Every structure is written in C-alpha cells, then in structure tokens.
Amino acid sequence: MDRYSRRALRPVLLYVAVACGWIVASDLLMLRAFSSGPPALGIASVAKGLGFVLVTGALLFRAISVELRVLERSEGQARSLNRGLRTLAAVQRLAAEKRDAGEFLQHACELVVDGRHLKAAWAAALDETTAEWRVRAFAGQTGEGRFRLVSDAPASLTTLEPARQALQQGKPAVSALEDLPPGDPQRDLARAGVKRAGAFPLSRQGRTLGVLTIYAADACAFDGAHGRVLGEVADALSLGLHVIALERGRLHSEQLLRLQMARLEALRDRDPLTGLYNRRRFEEFMAEELEESRRSGRPFAIVVFDLDRFTEVNARLGHESGDRVLAAVGKRLRQAVRPAERIGRIGGDSFAVLLPGADVSAARALAEQVMREVTATPVLLGGEGVVVGATGGIVAYPEHGSTQAELQAALDSVLVQARQHRAQLAVFDQASHSRWLQFHSRGELVRRALRDRRIVPAFQPVVDLSSGQLYGYEVLARIRDGGRLVEAGEFIREAEEYGLMAEVDRQILESVVDLCQDARLAGRHLFINLAPDLLSRRAYREAILQLLDRHSELARCSVWELTERHSLPDMAAVLAFIQEVKARGARIALDDFGSGYSSIGYFRRLPVDYVKIDGALVRGAGSSALDERVVAAIRRVAAELGAETVAESVEDAATAHLMRQMGVRFGQGYYLGRPALLEQLAAQSPAQPR
C-alpha cells in the first residue's frame, strides 16, 4: 500500500468508527424513548442512520480531499527542496571549475531557473574598471520566448526592487510584482505569472561582489527552507566569484611578474634611456669578438666618442632635456650604423660602436660618418635647437691591444688624447697612452698618500747672502713613498688636475702648525706657498685667516708666497686678503717674479715684503747681460718699494757671489741647502757664500 492510500485510509477508518458508535448509542436511546411502538422505532432508526451516513460521508470525503491536497503540496515542496539542493551542489561544483565570472554566473542562473516555480533569474557583478554594477548573466523563458528584461539586460535593473534593497542593506530582500510603474521591465514577468522576486546579495569577507535576483511563480518560494536553500546558492555564487577574483589576481600577478622579469632582462642588456646596449653587455660583445678574432685572425675596431660640453646642456636646460638629447643621439647612432655593428652607451654621455672585421682605415671612415650623423643638425627641444658636438677615438685589434683589459685601457685613453690634441677624432697612440698612464698613476699616488697621511713638509734653507746666516725655510710638499721622497714637481700638477690640491695644502698646513714650536725652527721665517687655484675661493682665504688667528706663533714667523696667477683673476679680493694677513703679523712674498707677465705696475699695487726673483733669471745672470740687468732692476724697484729680494735657484758659488754683489739680500737653491725633512735639519748646515 502506497503512502497516498495509507494517508486516505486513516480518516475513513476514523469516520467509520465514529459512525458506528453513534448509531449504536442513538439506537439505545431511541429504544428507551419509543418502547411502546417498535415499528415506528425501526423506521426512525433507519432514517437516522441513513442521514448520518450521508452527512458523515460528505464530511469524510471532504477530509480525504483536503488531506490529499496537503500531501500533494508537501510532496511538491519536498521535490522543490530537493531540486534546490541539487542546484546548490551543481553551483558549488561550478565554483570549483569555472574561471570566468560571466560564464560562471550564466551557468548558475540556468541551473536556478526550473521553468515551473522559478521562472527567471539574473545576476549582476561589480565592474572593476568602471566601478559600476553590470548585469553579467540571465536565464528564463516563457512560452513566448525570453523575457524582455532578460534579453535587454539593462544595468538599471540593480536600481529596481528588490535588487536595490539587497545591495543597500547587504541582506536578502523579497518584493511582490504588483502595481509596477510603466516602463519597469519586470512587468513582463508579472504578466507571465511571476508573483514575487527575491534578491540575494553576493558578499564575501565584508565586500559586496554582486546580486542574484530570482523570479518565482510561487508566493512562498522564498519562505522557510526554500529561502534558506536559495540563500545557500547565493553563498556558493559569492564563493565562486571570490575564488575567480583570487585566481584572476593570481594570473594578473604572474603576468606582471613575467613582464617585470622581461623588463629586468631587457634592462640587464639595454640602456633604458637610449635603447642601446649598456656597458656590461657591450663589454661582453667585445669579449666575444676578441675570442672570434683570435680564432680567425680577423681584425676588429672600436669607435668611442662622447659629447662636448654636455654638462652645460644639463646645467642650462635641465636633466630632462639632457636625457632627450641623449635619446636623440642614440636614435641617430642606430640610423648611422649597420645592424651587425653593436652600439653601446658606456657612460653618461659616452658611446661606442664595435666594428667586426674593420681595420683602422675602415673604422676611421665609419667614425667620420657617425660623427657627421650625430652632429650634423641640432636636436630640437621645445623649439630650441641644441647643437651637439662630439669628440671621438679609434682603437683597433690587434694593433692597440691583444686583451680586453688592454683594449679597455686604450678606449679610456684615446678620448683624452683627442682632447689634448684638440682633435675631433683621434687614433690611439701608445706614446701618448704611456704619458697618460704616468699622469694617472701620479694622481693615484696623491690619493693614496692623502688617505694614508703621507704628505709631509720638507724645509729648504733661505740664507742671508751677506752674512751666510740661516734666515728661514721654504716649506715644500713631499710624499713618503716607501724609502724615497717624491718631490712636489712630480705630483703637484696631477693634484691640481684631479682636484686634490686643497687636501694636500690642508695636510701641509696642519703639519707646519704642529712643528712651528719645534726648537729647530725657532726664530726662523717659514715661507709657505699658497695654492694658486685655491686663493680665488673665499672659503680658502678665510681658512688661512682663521689659522693665523688660532696660532699667533705661526703668524709671527710665516711668510705667505703668492704668484701672479693668484691675483690676476680677482685683484680686489687678493689685495684685501693680503691686508688681513699683514694685519695679523704675517708677511707676504711675491714668488717667481720675472716669469709670466711681471708688470712693474702690477708689482707696485701689491704691498709685499719679499720679491723672489725667478730662478731662470738668476741662473742666466752669470752669462747674460740682459738677465743681469733685469735682476738688478728688480732689486732696485723692490728696494724703492721697501721689499727684500730673494734669489731662487742659486746652484753654485759664482751665482751666490754675483747675487750678493748685486745687492740681493737672500738666496735659495741647492748650493745653499737642499730641501730636507725636519729630522734631517740638524745634520745639514747651509753653505757659506764666498
């Protein structure tokens, strides 16, 4: 017996039992009431029974029909609930499988719509590009085809109830499709038998991702267990969207990582500004070409050049404009050479071209072409033309080097050679390179000596020629280099060229200050050279004055030597400095007078205490009457202006005798005493002039 038969049999049995009981009870009562007339009693009993059966039978069948309808409704709800659970499971599977949000939502909406109770569904998601809601999926049909609202899928659906309320409140909302205003696309659904609409926000981790709206023909479709199942479906959709977003983020991150790696790989080989090869990659090409040339015996050449006065472009127009000039030069270079010829930006404004198989002659022809291409026309920057000049050099294998280190050194040197010879294009020259290496090594010698504080003062005697007595010392810079002393003439030019003269001068002055209290220097005048390239700097002059203020003993014994080079650029500043020095008790000497311009008018303007006659005039006075007359004139002018004279480069007794006869009071030179360190002064005494 099936469940429907069992459900119908229960009210039948109940009503039969009630009817039988009623008949028996009523018969007994009637028997007592009509005991005098049995025939009438029988008739009444039959009539009563028949009436009762008819009434209770009608009630019985009514009860059975109601029970069956309840049973059928429960069965339908159970089937609907089971289908909802199957839909939930299918959506959960979709969430694990799909990777596109639109496709996922479309399949989910198709699963939700059963065509009987749930007539239609649509889903909207947030468009991350526009930050607006956009309908991404729809499903639902009637006998006449798709609903108009679904086929049109207007984004304005999210502004209608119940979707708007669900999005605003963040919880499910249900509304009846009644009294909809004209133009509402949901009116088509209402005409097709849809009674209610339910909207479920798609949220995850406190963030609303979208909304799912379902249209039902059953007014109770969103109540009780059905509503909870649909809520679970919405949660599954939310999870799926979240997973898809995470996956999309992962893929996007991987794509960005791949792009970044590709960019880094490009930067590893390319200069980002010009697009040319960078120095590291260019040197790798050099190494590869060198290896190939060693195997095949073929030559190759490298053209290197840099831009003239490029720092002025940066200073005048700014670094952004400078970058645009460099980019334009890089473009012109690519147009000027063949693809097989590698181009690299090997420095700030330095470029190089590798020419496989080229000798010096071929390299020169290409270099001239490249130089013309680069410098022919100005680079236009905002309507202003920037003229680009360049200086280039050529290095060839194997003539100028057989290893990469030798070729690299030649590249560094050839541009220096071009600038020294004021040539736009130079071919590497080994003799010039050797001189450059020597100059560079001396600069490194000064750097190391400054770092290790091996710059020391040497003292050369200044002697009174008339009495032969020691008057003082000229302080000269020396470098301790192992067991020898490097004289100033071997490194001062390099120190000036590399901008190290200020530090050399500072270390010498510190040493003099420390030694001026020594007994071996007591009572002696110390002739100290002022750095020619530093006196024009206000900070340097102020440092000298502060030094004199702090050390009064140094002020009393010091004689500060300056040359014509000191004062010509800024005579007013130098004159003010001389007055300040003399006001502190120190003295001033004019060094190397007779070399350079040597104007008597110029000499007259400087209130000096000593005039040191240039050594070339002193050496020539013994053999040249003209030099002798010039020395005599300098001595007379100095005497008239109240200054003492000092003869430099007194190398023999005859010169010392001649200077004394001419009235020059002091002398200095190897004959009178060689420069020596302080610890050597006690063992050395000046020669006595005869």
Side-chain angles (χ1 to χ4, degrees):
M1 183 179 292
D2 61 16
R3 57 185 298 197
Y4 286 101
S5 299
R6 290 196 300 269
R7 190 71 181 252
L9 183 59
R10 284 182 298 182
V12 171
L13 294 176
L14 177 62
Y15 280 108
V16 168
V18 172
C20 290
W22 174 258
I23 291 171
V24 171
S26 62
D27 285 347
L28 291 175
L29 291 174
M30 290 181 66
L31 183 61
R32 287 184 179 182
F34 298 96
S35 55
S36 59
L41 177 62
I43 296 171
S45 296
V46 171
K48 171 183 68 66
L50 290 174
F52 181 79
V53 167
L54 291 174
V55 173
T56 55
L59 293 175
L60 174 62
F61 283 109
R62 176 63 179 173
I64 291 174
S65 63
V66 170
E67 189 73 18
L68 290 176
R69 282 198 299 273
V70 170
L71 183 62
E72 184 180 1
R73 187 181 300 111
S74 299
E75 185 70 19
Q77 290 176 348
R79 286 196 301 271
S80 177
L81 187 59
N82 287 335
R83 189 181 186 287
L85 292 174
R86 289 195 301 272
T87 300
L88 174 60
V91 170
Q92 290 173 337
R93 286 195 300 272
L94 281 176
E97 296 171 358
K98 297 299 181 181
R99 291 296 178 264
D100 179 76
E103 183 181 355
F104 168 63
L105 292 175
Q106 181 62 42
H107 279 75
C109 287
E110 292 172 356
L111 287 172
V112 167
V113 174
D114 59 16
R116 182 181 178 187
H117 299 290
L118 303 181
K119 296 290 188 178
W122 60 266
L126 188 65
D127 189 331
E128 296 181 357
T129 304
T130 62
E132 296 178 351
W133 297 110
R134 185 164 68 90
V135 175
R136 300 294 302 276
F138 44 85
Q141 288 187 339
T142 64
E144 299 176 356
R146 281 188 175 183
F147 297 127
R148 184 170 61 83
L149 81 89
V150 171
S151 59
D152 294 346
S156 60
L157 284 175
T158 56
T159 64
L160 303 177
E161 300 297 345
R164 183 188 62 81
Q165 184 178 355
L167 288 173
Q168 287 183 347
Q169 298 180 358
K171 62 182 181 180
V174 179
S175 65
L177 296 188
E178 298 174 356
D179 301 326
L180 296 176
D184 191 320
Q186 298 175 117
R187 290 169 65 91
D188 289 346
L189 292 170
R191 284 192 290 269
V194 172
K195 294 182 174 60
R196 304 190 77 182
F200 300 85
L202 307 180
S203 304
R204 200 72 185 174
Q205 296 180 348
R207 179 168 175 258
T208 301
L209 306 176
V211 63
L212 171 66
T213 302
I214 302 171
Y215 297 93
D218 187 355
C220 301
F222 303 107
D223 299 335
H226 295 88
R228 289 193 293 272
V229 170
L230 292 177
E232 292 292 334
V233 170
D235 287 343
L237 286 179
S238 302
L239 177 61
L241 289 177
H242 181 64
V243 171
I244 290 172
L246 291 178
E247 180 65 14
R248 185 170 63 248
R250 183 186 67 82
L251 294 175
H252 182 65
S253 298
E254 289 180 355
Q255 183 181 11
L256 288 179
L257 181 60
R258 286 193 296 271
L259 291 175
Q260 188 67 17
M261 293 299 294
R263 189 176 295 111
L264 290 175
E265 185 68 19
L267 290 176
R268 194 179 74 89
D269 292 339
R270 297 280 184 174
D271 169 50
L273 179 61
T274 62
L276 305 177
Y277 291 109
N278 55 29
R279 185 184 186 95
R280 182 199 59 78
R281 187 64 179 123
F282 188 81
E283 290 177 351
E284 289 179 357
F285 285 134
M286 284 178 57
E288 294 168 3
E289 188 63 32
L290 183 62
E291 187 66 25
E292 176 63 27
S293 296
R294 285 171 178 166
R295 287 195 300 266
S296 62
R298 74 175 185 181
F300 70 89
I302 304 170
V303 176
V304 60
F305 68 93
D306 59 16
L307 304 183
D308 296 337
R309 298 183 300 278
F310 182 70
T311 54
E312 296 179 9
V313 176
N314 283 331
R316 184 168 61 89
L317 302 177
H319 287 277
E320 182 178 353
S321 296
D323 289 346
R324 292 169 61 187
V325 170
L326 292 174
V329 170
K331 181 178 179 180
R332 293 179 180 184
L333 274 174
R334 288 192 297 271
Q335 295 172 345
V337 303
R338 295 171 296 184
E341 295 160 347
R342 310 292 190 180
I343 315 170
R345 182 188 177 196
I346 60 175
D349 61 342
S350 299
F351 302 85
V353 183
L354 180 64
L355 308 174
D359 56 14
V360 172
S361 176
R364 180 187 291 276
L366 180 68
E368 291 173 350
Q369 175 186 344
V370 169
M371 301 283 276
R372 285 194 301 270
E373 184 71 26
V374 169
T375 62
T377 58
V379 176
L380 294 178
L381 298 177
E384 179 180 356
V386 177
V387 177
V388 178
T391 298
I394 299 171
V395 173
Y397 170 86
E399 295 97 317
H400 304 147
S402 58
T403 67
Q404 185 158 0
E406 291 175 351
L407 292 173
Q408 188 61 58
L411 288 174
D412 294 337
S413 175
V414 69
L415 288 177
V416 177
Q417 296 175 24
R419 296 195 184 282
Q420 286 177 343
H421 294 94
R422 292 181 172 82
Q424 188 180 28
L425 184 65
V427 178
F428 176 77
D429 177 68
Q430 186 60 51
S432 298
H433 180 60
S434 299
R435 290 192 296 271
W436 180 79
L437 286 178
Q438 185 179 27
F439 185 86
H440 182 69
S441 64
R442 286 176 177 172
E444 290 301 313
L445 172 66
V446 177
R447 283 195 179 93
R448 292 194 299 271
L450 289 170
R451 181 193 62 203
D452 302 335
R453 299 194 68 82
R454 291 185 285 108
I455 306 289
V456 296
F459 301 88
Q460 184 176 24
V462 177
V463 177
D464 188 328
L465 295 176
S466 60
S467 64
Q469 297 297 315
L470 179 66
Y471 180 74
Y473 297 99
E474 180 174 1
V475 181
L476 303 170
R478 296 290 185 266
I479 292 179
R480 291 185 188 271
D481 188 25
R484 74 185 186 101
L485 286 177
V486 182
E487 296 186 0
E490 297 184 41
F491 66 84
I492 287 297
R493 179 170 170 267
E494 287 79 3
E496 292 177 346
E497 184 70 22
Y498 285 102
L500 303 174
M501 198 59 214
E503 183 62 19
V504 170
D505 199 60
R506 187 181 67 81
Q507 289 195 15
I508 288 294
L509 290 177
E510 289 177 355
S511 299
V512 170
V513 169
D514 293 339
L515 297 174
C516 66
Q517 299 294 333
D518 192 281
R520 287 165 288 190
L521 300 178
R524 307 301 182 189
H525 291 81
L526 299 179
F527 289 76
I528 304 171
N529 288 281
L530 292 166
D533 294 333
L534 300 179
L535 193 60
S536 60
R537 303 180 187 177
R538 180 178 178 181
Y540 178 75
R541 300 194 300 268
E542 291 180 349
I544 297 295
L545 297 176
Q546 292 171 6
L547 188 68
L548 295 175
D549 289 335
R550 289 195 303 269
H551 303 281
S552 58
E553 182 63 28
L554 178 64
R556 286 192 296 271
C557 70
S558 61
V559 180
W560 299 87
E561 297 187 12
L562 71 159
T563 67
E564 295 167 277
R565 280 199 302 159
H566 287 99
S567 50
L568 282 177
D570 192 350
M571 176 67 77
V574 171
L575 284 173
F577 171 72
I578 290 174
Q579 296 295 346
E580 292 285 349
V581 169
K582 293 173 68 70
R584 287 162 174 77
R587 302 182 185 185
I588 298 293
L590 185 60
D591 195 16
D592 296 332
F593 192 80
S595 65
Y597 300 99
S598 301
S599 167
I600 296 297
Y602 163 80
F603 170 40
R604 180 175 55 83
R605 295 180 60 188
L606 296 176
V608 299
D609 301 288
Y610 301 90
V611 177
K612 300 187 76 173
I613 304 172
D614 184 66
L617 291 174
V618 173
R619 288 191 298 270
S623 58
S624 169
L626 177 60
D627 287 347
E628 183 178 351
R629 287 195 295 272
V630 171
V631 171
I634 293 173
R635 199 234 18 116
R636 288 195 301 271
V637 172
E640 289 293 332
L641 297 176
E644 299 286 359
T645 49
V646 181
E648 297 181 312
S649 300
V650 179
E651 309 298 340
D652 51 44
T655 303
H657 179 71
L658 177 60
M659 293 297 107
R660 185 174 62 254
Q661 283 188 331
M662 295 177 66
V664 177
R665 181 177 176 185
F666 301 109
Q668 177 184 347
Y670 283 177
Y671 173 69
L672 301 173
R674 289 179 174 272
L677 300 181
L678 185 62
E679 57 266 25
Q680 300 169 333
L681 292 182
Q684 174 179 288
S685 58
Q688 299 295 320
R690 295 187 293 273

